[in-house]
Amino acid sequence: DTGVSQDPRHKITKRGQNVTFRCDPISEHNRLYWYRQTLGQGPEFLTYFQNEAQLEKSRLLSDRFSAERPKGSFSTLEIQRTEQGDSAMYLCASSLDGDTQYFGPGTRLTVL
Amino acid sequence: AQSVTQLGSHVSVSEGALVLLRCNYSSSVPPYLFWYVQYPNQGLQLLLKYTTGATLVKGINGFEAEFKKSETSFHLTKPSAHMSDAAEYFCAVRGSGGYQKVTFGTGTKLQVIP
């Protein structure tokens, strides 16, 4: 059990560029979650996968955001046409039972 | 709909004193409740959770919390603070019945004074 990993850990991009983040969950965890955390706030739920199916999406996930989990293992979160307001920490978590979520270290995105 | 309110964005206690971090929730269905801790430059770690059954739940590092439905509260306590408890603590709620969206509070930073 190596824990949840996220890549990259830091990303600096210019406004208007596309970015993609990767999350590798704990092996055999069939549930995967994405959150966004801004300074001084708690994590905000973005989306949830069970295996490869995306079952819940927050209204925070605008049409510029897309998430996939093609084979039910790793997941990617893509942000198109980034805006300064997208600057945040993007967190991934995985779970086996749906109650205990194990969080990764996060990807910090800075949009200039 | 669900929400969490954490009273006090910063709490300071002396080493050895009681730790009390307050959390009130709102949920349209029976809630599952969680406390997470985040140490500087580290990921969130689950401290304890309430799903069903006993309303007093014990977690790691000597922390415990009590689910009080009548008060819609889930306060976190520890009898004696240790320097290593200094961190940010988040209360979270999700609805039972298969819902997976977890709503977090804004967090409480705990400072432990030697």
Side-chain angles (χ1 to χ4, degrees), chain B residues 44-92:
Chain B
L44 286 152
Q45 180 182 7
L46 182 67
L47 267 181
L48 50 80
K49 64 182 178 183
Y50 167 79
T51 53
T52 58
T55 56
L56 180 64
V57 292
K58 296 183 185 299
I60 60 172
N61 301 337
F63 284 94
E64 62 182 38
E66 187 171 11
F67 169 59
K68 292 187 176 181
K69 183 179 178 181
S70 61
E71 298 177 11
T72 62
S73 69
F74 191 58
H75 302 330
L76 182 70
T77 60
K78 181 174 180 177
S80 176
H82 192 273
M83 295 299 295
S84 61
D85 295 328
E88 189 157 22
Y89 293 80
F90 293 92
C91 182

Side-chain angles (χ1 to χ4, degrees), chain A residues 69-98:
Chain A
R69 194 182 184 199
K71 296 181 180 178
S73 56
F74 73 91
S75 175
T76 59
L77 178 69
E78 181 183 17
I79 309 174
Q80 296 183 326
R81 306 181 302 281
T82 53
E83 302 172 356
Q84 287 185 325
D86 297 331
S87 295
M89 179 76 86
Y90 289 84
L91 300 170
C92 176
S94 71
S95 177
L96 190 58
D97 62 5

